[in-house]
Amino acid sequence: MESVFSQQVYKIVKAIPKGKVMTYGQIALLLGVPRASQQVGWVLHWIPEEYQAPCQRVVNRFGGLAAGYGWGGQLAHRAELLADGVEVREDFTVELEKYQWHPTEAEIALLELPIEALERLNQKLAFSKERLNPAKRKKSKS
DNA sequence: ATATTGACCAGTT
DNA sequence: TAACTGGCCAATA
């Protein structure tokens, strides 16, 4: 809870603008720990109330809402996102292309994070996109 | 004190 | 294609 990692997560989550979302992996990457996405989920699960962090603005890499979101699960998560003005699909996902937050250099600096973090992020995003697209490609002949 | 789990992700097989 | 593996690390058991 009081670990540096947690503190950093709180800070980033609080910086997410209303109407935008970030993914667990994106946050982990910003912190320079590319594979700590699950840990980000834990941190958010146990986030102290006094931080008042908008954890509804964090979704998984597919834009999916958290099943274990507090006591209300996805329903609660969806309600808070709707209050943010974020559209939620029937399958409890949001459109990342439309709602994902891409911090600018200035915003990264404001969070006291290294600028390399942003570069890593951009590279990774491009990579993820490439990985996701093939799945949607029509399967041509066999 | 060790072992397992989990709001996850990406690389490999 | 899908399934498996390793990694992250706080909280539980």
Side-chain angles (χ1 to χ4, degrees), chain A residues 3 8 18-19 26 30 38 47 64 68 73 83 85 90 115 123 133:
Chain A
S3 71
Q8 297 271 57
K18 179 176 180 179
Q26 204 180 354
L30 276 176
Q38 185 172 37
I47 191 166
E90 282 295 318
I115 201 62
Q123 283 179 352
N133 285 341

Side-chain angles (χ1 to χ4, degrees), chain A residues 1 6 8 19 26 63 82 86 102 106 120 124 135:
Chain A
M1 277 316 208
S6 303
Q8 297 271 57
Q26 204 180 354
L82 290 177
V86 173
H102 304 285
R120 280 197 299 265
K124 210 67 179 186

Side-chain angles (χ1 to χ4, degrees), chain A residues 30-72:
Chain A
L30 276 176
L31 294 181
V33 196
R35 282 158 211 158
S37 43
Q38 185 172 37
Q39 200 54 30
V40 174
W42 263 114
V43 168
L44 291 183
H45 193 168
W46 293 103
I47 191 166
E49 262 186 44
E50 66 252 32
Y51 282 95
Q52 301 275 337
C55 26
Q56 76 273 16
R57 292 172 198 163
V58 184
V59 298
N60 68 23
R61 77 190 137 150
F62 301 119
L65 273 54
Y69 189 91
W71 293 102

Side-chain angles (χ1 to χ4, degrees), chain A residues 14-138:
Chain A
K14 288 188 75 167
I16 305 175
K18 179 176 180 179
K20 290 288 177 183
V21 302
M22 280 187 112
T23 67
Y24 300 101
Q26 204 180 354
I27 292 173
L29 203 58
L30 276 176
L31 294 181
V33 196
R35 282 158 211 158
S37 43
Q38 185 172 37
Q39 200 54 30
V40 174
W42 263 114
V43 168
L44 291 183
H45 193 168
W46 293 103
I47 191 166
E49 262 186 44
E50 66 252 32
Y51 282 95
Q52 301 275 337
C55 26
Q56 76 273 16
R57 292 172 198 163
V58 184
V59 298
N60 68 23
R61 77 190 137 150
F62 301 119
L65 273 54
Y69 189 91
W71 293 102
Q74 291 181 321
L75 288 172
H77 197 164
R78 179 174 63 182
E80 296 191 26
L81 278 176
L82 290 177
D84 269 0
V86 173
E87 185 182 357
V88 179
R89 303 192 191 98
E90 282 295 318
D91 60 351
F92 291 95
T93 63
V94 303
E95 189 179 345
L96 284 181
E97 291 288 333
K98 183 171 176 182
Y99 294 111
Q100 185 167 19
W101 183 43
H102 304 285
T104 65
E105 283 190 19
E107 285 160 337
I108 291 295
L110 212 62
L111 290 171
E112 297 170 3
L113 292 171
I115 201 62
E116 302 94 66
L118 188 59
E119 297 180 8
R120 280 197 299 265
L121 191 57
N122 290 334
Q123 283 179 352
K124 210 67 179 186
L125 278 176
F127 183 74
S128 297
K129 242 184 238 177
E130 278 199 15
R131 269 190 71 96
L132 283 180
N133 285 341
K136 295 166 68 175
R137 292 186 74 73
K138 62 171 187 182

